[in-house]
């Protein structure tokens, strides 16, 4: 029986699957099996998976029709024979010694851990590669307490392994209706585990994909409702468990329940408010309603902490509608090549700081992606006197001329908003922010750390 089972759901992942498989083929510890669960690929992924399973011992392929990756993972979990299971995505991978280091960590532990957390490295287009700071605080811990607040910030699936007998005894599997079912799975595992420990020597590399490639990350009404339903389930389970452990009724002021509410609101900021230009008016109104309801349940000291953390986007004030936003600046775009407009606008509307205006020349209007053409913060202006007209139209106090079509990294406007430089120096500050980010990304692509 293998020590580990790696479960890999696949559905049309031809572009990414070879790299994910290569990372597993070259593991320094071969005491694992790989269970590939193909949900009906039509792009050649199935052939790649089948060839790997024919060539390498311990690689197995399950074929079927699965509506979601969660269904595929449940099927893989049922077939897994390892003592511990890992759930990976074809877009992510673990480094060559990760299985070996997990094996050593588990064997050296006096207790048999139910959950092991290891390091999580994030990378992707338009972002600075970095380790997840919260998962990194869990990874060195020899034992995490049951109500560890960091559990509410550690919802990445791929950097954790689970004792299979523990999952079976607790009947833990993935829900298949909610697109955020992995969050609830992870939280239940943390809460029910007798022993959670870290392994700082194993590494999971997670690729953050563009919004168009990650359907559940789009800020739609359905996703907002599903996300709140998931966090409501987390809150209810936490409340039930605390009541059982304390043998006393709960009133919602308990530290851990307040932390659940705090993280719930933080996630609403990160997953929805930062994309409010991409929400329709009905979805945004629902967001405001959910936000205000949660803030009323949050204790004053937690509200203060939240408002300080998100002060750069005006917390605690949430705009009643998307048209009420105060603007940091107007970016007047003047690129030499038409094909530069679409990727730059994509990066602009995905900024962590959501308040800006953008002006484009009329002659390039057909290069604007259709979903952005009706955005109330986008101005299409005549080519003649473009820059003077942009300054005249701007609601903000600052107009930045952008002549380089390189997409912005995700925190570019956030860094500019936090700058204390005088207004007349903001153009040069913005240029330095962009240059610094490109240097760091370039170094990382060349295999150099920073």
């Amino acid at each position: 029986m293998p020590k580990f089972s790696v479960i890999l759901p696949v559905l049309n992942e031809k572009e990414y699957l070879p790299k994910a498989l290569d990372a597993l083929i070259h593991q320094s510890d071969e005491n694992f099996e790989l269970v590939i669960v193909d949900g009906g690929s039509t792009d050649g992924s199935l052939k790649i998976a089948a060839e790997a399973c024919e060539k390498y011992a311990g690689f197995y392929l399950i074929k079927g029709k699965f509506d979601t990756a969660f269904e595929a993972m449940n099927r893989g979990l049922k077939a897994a024979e390892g003592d511990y299971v890992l759930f990976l995505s074809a877009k992510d991978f673990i480094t060559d010694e990760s299985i070996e280091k997990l094996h050593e960590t588990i064997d050296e532990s006096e207790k048999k851990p139910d959950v092991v957390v290891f390091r999580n490295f994030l990378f992707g287009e338009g972002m600075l590669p970095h380790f997840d700071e919260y998962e990194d605080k869990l990874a060195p811990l020899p034992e995490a307490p049951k109500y560890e607040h960091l559990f509410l910030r550690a919802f990445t699936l791929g950097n954790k392994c689970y004792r299979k007998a523990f999952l079976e005894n607790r009947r833990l599997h993935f829900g298949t209706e909610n697109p955020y079912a992995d969050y609830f799975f992870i939280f239940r595992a943390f809460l029910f585990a007798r022993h959670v420990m870290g392994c700082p020597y194993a590494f999971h590399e997670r690729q953050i994909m563009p919004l168009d490639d990650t359907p559940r990350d789009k800020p739609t009404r359905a996703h907002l409702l599903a996300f709140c339903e998931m966090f409501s389930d987390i809150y209810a389970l936490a409340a039930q468990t605390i009541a059982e452990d304390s043998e006393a009724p709960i009133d919602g002021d308990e530290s851990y329940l307040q932390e659940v509410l705090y993280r719930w609101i933080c996630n609403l900021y990160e997953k929805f408010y930062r994309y409010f230009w991409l929400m329709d008016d009905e979805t945004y109104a629902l967001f405001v309603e959910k936000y205000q309801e949660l803030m009323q349940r949050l204790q004053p000291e937690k509200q203060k902490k939240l408002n300080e953390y998100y002060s750069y986007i005006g917390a605690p004030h949430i705009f009643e509608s998307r048209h009420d936003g105060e603007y940091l600046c107007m970016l007047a775009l003047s690129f030499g090549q038409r094909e530069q407009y679409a990727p730059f606008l994509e990066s602009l509307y995905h900024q962590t700081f959501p308040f800006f205006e953008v002006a484009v020349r009329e002659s390039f209007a057909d290069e604007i992606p259709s979903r952005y053409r009706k955005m109330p913060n986008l101005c299409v202006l005549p080519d003649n006197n473009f820059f003077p007209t942009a300054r005249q139209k701007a609601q903000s106090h600052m107009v930045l001329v952008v002549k380089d079509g390189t997409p912005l990294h995700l925190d570019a406007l956030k860094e500019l908003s936090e700058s204390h430089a005088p207004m007349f120096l903001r153009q040069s500050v913005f240029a330095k922010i962009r240059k610094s980010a490109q240097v760091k990304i370039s170094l990382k692509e060349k295999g150099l750390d920073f």
Side-chain angles (χ1 to χ4, degrees), residues 119-123 129-132 204-207 444:
R119 299 189 72 186
N120 188 35
F121 185 78
L122 309 177
F123 68 99
H130 63 283
F131 283 101
D132 185 303
H204 170 255
E205 301 209 11
R206 178 188 176 197
Q207 184 171 3
K444 184 60 185 177

Side-chain angles (χ1 to χ4, degrees), residues 240-253:
Q240 177 185 342
T241 307
I242 292 170
E244 291 173 352
D245 288 349
S246 63
E247 298 182 345
I250 56 111
D251 57 15
D253 287 335

